[in-house]
Structure formats: C-alpha cells, structure tokens
Amino acid sequence: MTLPTALIEEAIRWRQQLHRQPELGYQEHQTSEFVAQQLAAFGLQVHRGLAGTGVIATLENGPGPTIGLRADMDALPITEKGDSPWRSQRPGVMHACGHDGHTAILLAAAKQLAQTRQFSGTVHFIFQPAEENLGGARKMVEEGLFRRFPMENIYAMHNWPGLPLGTLAVNPGAMMASLDSFEITLSGKSCHAAMPESGADPMVVAAELILALQTIPSRRLSPLASAVVSVTQIQGGEAINVIPEQITLRGTVRCLQSDVRHKVRGLIEEFVTSLPRPFAVEGEIHWYPGYPVTANHAQPAEQVRDAAQKMLGSENVRWQVNPSMASEDFACMLESCPGAYFWLGADGATPSAPLHNACYDFNDALIPVAIRFWQALVENVLKR
C-alpha cells in the first residue's frame, strides 16, 4: 500500500501548522474550523457542535457495517522548550502529547479513503476536543455521539514514545488506567506552635495519612492488582509559630481493574474518616471522578492486531503488553461502544521525549505509517 507523496507532505504541513497554533480543551475553535473545512473539501458529510468544538465527518461507500475512527485535538498548558521552526506561537500552551499529529493523520486518512474507496460500509471520522483531563469524550457521548452516529465499533490510536517506529501495541483488555482525583480536608483546632496540647494538629495527621495511604497498594490489595495512590499537593498554615486549623491534601488514584478502583476508593474513605479521630481531628474527602479503565473489547482488538500483522509484520506487533498507569478519556467511548485503543511506536533513531514534556515534539516520520494503518484497518474491517 503506497501513499501519494503529496498527501504525506500535506499531512506533515498540517501537523506543523497545528503545532504552531495549539488550543486548550473546549477552546479548539481554530483547529475545529480548519478540520471541518478540510473534511468538507474532501467531499465528506461534516457535522459540528458535539462537545462544543467537536467535528464528525461521514464517508459512506455502499452497504456494510459502520465504524468510527477518533482523534483528539487539544493541547496542554505547558510552555514549550523546543526550538523547531513550528514551535508553539501561544505562550504557555503546546502540543505536548501529539494531538496535532493524531489530528493531521486522521485528516489525511479521511482524504485517502475518500479517494481510494476500497471498502464497503461507512466510516465516521471523529475529531474530539478536551481529552486532557476535561472529559471531551464523555461529553460527546452524553450529547448523543452514538445515538446520532450509530456504529458497530470505534478505534483510536496514540503515538507512543518508548516503542520503536513501525511497531504497534494492543491488548484485548486494559490499555490505560482509570483516573480519579480527590481532595481531603483535615480540620483540627488552631493553637500556638509552642503549646500543641491546647489544640488539635491536622499537620501531624496529614503526615500520618499520606504514609498510611501508601499501604493500600502494598498491604490492602493483592500483589496481582494494579493501583497507584499519589498525594500530589498539601496546603495549609500561614505562620511558622501557629498550628493551622485546616490542612488540604489533593491527589489521584489510578487502577487497571474496575473492581480494584471501587475497593481503593472505599479504603481511602475509611482511612480519611477513621485515622484522624484519635488526634481529635476530622477528615472529609471529596472525589472528582475522572476516566474509567481504558479497556479494549476483544474482537476489535483482534481486528487491530490482524491489520497490523498484515501491514507491519507479526514481529512488529506487541500483543498483551503491560498497560500504562496513565489514563485516557477514550475509555468513556469504550463504555458505550465496542472498540479498541492502540499505540503506535514514536521512537526513531533518536528516542522521543516523553509525552507531557516541554521538550516533546511529534515524530513526523510516524505520519505515513499511521495513515497507512488507518487505511489498512478500514479495508480489513469493511471488506468489499
């Protein structure tokens, strides 16, 4: 399968253009407009407005099943450190996760499939806003993505530093962890730091609680269960000679199994309410539910593996890889529609900087590989 050189060059230009003008979640107005204009120029049916800046384009080509391909469009609130000619022109905002590449790749795949049409069925090209912590996928589902655009399966890819270019990784189960954030408030009694017996010190309780929470993965769960509990912020106190009235802790929980996720939440709540009591301190927790486990469905995952083996060779396909403890809101789409999420290797001769790093830049050498794979997957799933 050979791609036109002009298409590859165009997709690279798109990617670099998007990188120069990154936009945060639900603010992808310029990106959304650009994507919609290109899709319309390819002759596709274009629909706008889901989750605000979301774009969906439909390509019908005879009878057959309907599938969806998804790309994310938003950037991150990070100041870029790179010095490329396409460096971000918006201070404090950059494409540090490769969504510029994902968008350009899916655009190019839509153009290629609209021209070649070597399949029978319908493809929805889904350009999603606000993947980074803002739940754009969930919002699209809530606003009727699968009611308005019914489909048998949905697929999403992510570039993956740490895997060599030309490799693909996919599982018939979990690929990414769930994400929940929490805020714990510890309320005591303020007093002079020289007279701690006259108060109730929430600072000491905070120290005890942070350490206690780390025993959940190590002592309260099976070693075969996967969970990470991280306290990432601690705030409280105003003067160095005053024991504060209140301390606030914030952090996240990541799990690879839904039942473990529920158990960990219950254990944290138990610690928060019971551990402070002997110190005459009260504990309260507020949850900010994030994303569920990104769990692939077996058949769509096998379809991804089969297409990858045909295109890349069996030696370049990783099956049953270790999942990542990072999270992905495509999980919300997988809860409502069967599908699969997979990684495409991003490391060339020089390893890629990590995702969410100020020095990261998308590897443009991945673009033709990814376009070809989207085409191969569609033609494999929607055989003529």
Side-chain angles (χ1 to χ4, degrees):
M1 182 192 306
T2 303
L3 294 175
T5 301
L7 178 65
I8 297 171
E9 293 173 348
E10 187 174 37
I12 292 173
R13 287 196 300 272
W14 291 338
R15 200 288 294 182
Q16 294 174 358
Q17 173 184 335
L18 292 167
H19 193 92
R20 288 189 189 96
Q21 301 294 329
E23 296 174 297
L24 297 175
Y26 298 124
Q27 300 174 31
E28 310 94 335
H29 302 291
Q30 184 175 328
T31 303
S32 177
E33 181 67 24
F34 171 76
V35 166
Q37 288 179 358
Q38 294 297 326
L39 293 166
F42 307 157
L44 277 63
Q45 305 168 38
V46 180
H47 310 268
R48 303 183 65 179
L50 274 185
T53 50
V55 181
I56 301 167
T58 301
L59 175 60
E60 298 177 352
N61 196 53
T66 299
I67 63 173
L69 312 180
R70 172 271 206 175
D72 34 21
M73 300 187 294
D74 56 321
L76 283 156
I78 296 175
T79 298
E80 186 166 5
K81 290 185 177 180
D83 56 2
S84 66
W86 48 87
R87 191 175 187 269
S88 171
Q89 296 178 3
R90 292 185 170 146
V93 183
M94 74 168 288
H95 274 294
C97 201
H99 297 184
D100 50 343
H102 303 166
T103 298
I105 287 163
L106 191 57
L107 270 178
K111 184 174 184 178
Q112 174 72 355
L113 287 163
Q115 292 174 344
T116 57
R117 294 180 178 265
Q118 297 299 308
F119 66 93
S120 184
T122 299
V123 184
H124 295 306
F125 302 92
I126 301 160
F127 294 84
Q128 179 211 308
E131 187 277 330
E132 299 289 358
N133 298 322
L134 295 175
R138 177 179 285 120
K139 192 169 181 63
M140 290 190 88
V141 172
E142 290 173 348
E143 293 186 5
L145 172 63
F146 297 116
R147 293 194 305 273
R148 295 175 59 183
F149 306 93
M151 58 194 80
E152 278 81 354
N153 293 320
I154 188 167
Y155 308 85
M157 62 83 70
H158 205 293
N159 79 98
W160 205 252
L163 286 178
L165 188 69
T167 61
L168 182 148
V170 64
N171 287 338
M175 287 293 293
M176 307 281 277
S178 63
L179 166 63
D180 293 298
S181 301
F182 58 80
E183 180 177 280
I184 297 169
T185 303
L186 299 173
S187 301
K189 180 181 178 183
S190 180
C191 65
H192 197 294
M195 307 169 198
E197 74 283 1
S198 63
D201 191 348
M203 189 71 74
V204 171
V205 176
E208 295 275 359
L209 183 59
I210 290 170
L211 293 175
L213 293 180
Q214 300 312 304
T215 67
I216 292 176
S218 65
R219 289 296 178 268
R220 300 298 300 274
L221 299 178
S222 164
L224 301 179
S226 300
V228 176
V229 180
S230 295
V231 177
T232 56
Q233 293 181 356
I234 178 168
Q235 295 178 341
E238 296 177 305
I240 61 172
N241 61 346
V242 177
I243 289 175
E245 185 89 13
Q246 199 170 79
I247 295 290
T248 301
L249 306 176
R250 298 184 184 90
T252 68
V253 178
R254 317 276 179 145
C255 302
L256 287 176
Q257 300 90 14
S258 296
D259 58 336
V260 173
R261 182 188 186 194
H262 295 307
K263 183 174 182 179
V264 170
R265 284 186 54 155
L267 289 170
I268 292 176
E269 290 169 2
E270 183 180 334
F271 272 113
V272 169
T273 56
S274 63
L275 185 145
R277 287 173 185 161
F279 299 88
V281 171
E282 292 185 358
E284 183 180 6
I285 186 167
H286 183 78
W287 288 98
Y288 300 92
Y291 306 149
V293 178
T294 305
N296 286 342
H297 299 250
Q299 183 181 14
E302 290 167 1
Q303 291 171 337
V304 170
R305 178 183 62 174
D306 292 347
Q309 287 176 337
K310 292 174 184 176
M311 178 183 142
L312 303 171
S314 299
E315 69 279 6
N316 292 315
V317 179
R318 315 288 175 86
W319 180 250
Q320 296 282 21
V321 296
N322 288 330
S324 170
M325 295 307 291
S327 57
E328 160 66 64
D329 82 339
F330 184 66
C332 300
M333 293 188 180
L334 291 176
E335 281 193 324
S336 299
C337 179
Y341 174 87
F342 57 93
W343 301 330
L344 283 176
D347 285 356
T350 301
S352 170
L355 301 174
H356 292 216
N357 183 285
C359 294
Y360 170 86
D361 190 18
F362 189 88
N363 183 359
D364 286 336
L366 173 56
I367 287 177
V369 178
I371 298 170
R372 288 175 55 227
F373 182 74
W374 276 139
Q375 182 179 1
L377 180 65
V378 170
E379 292 177 356
N380 197 55
V381 174
L382 303 181
K383 292 183 175 67
R384 298 190 70 173

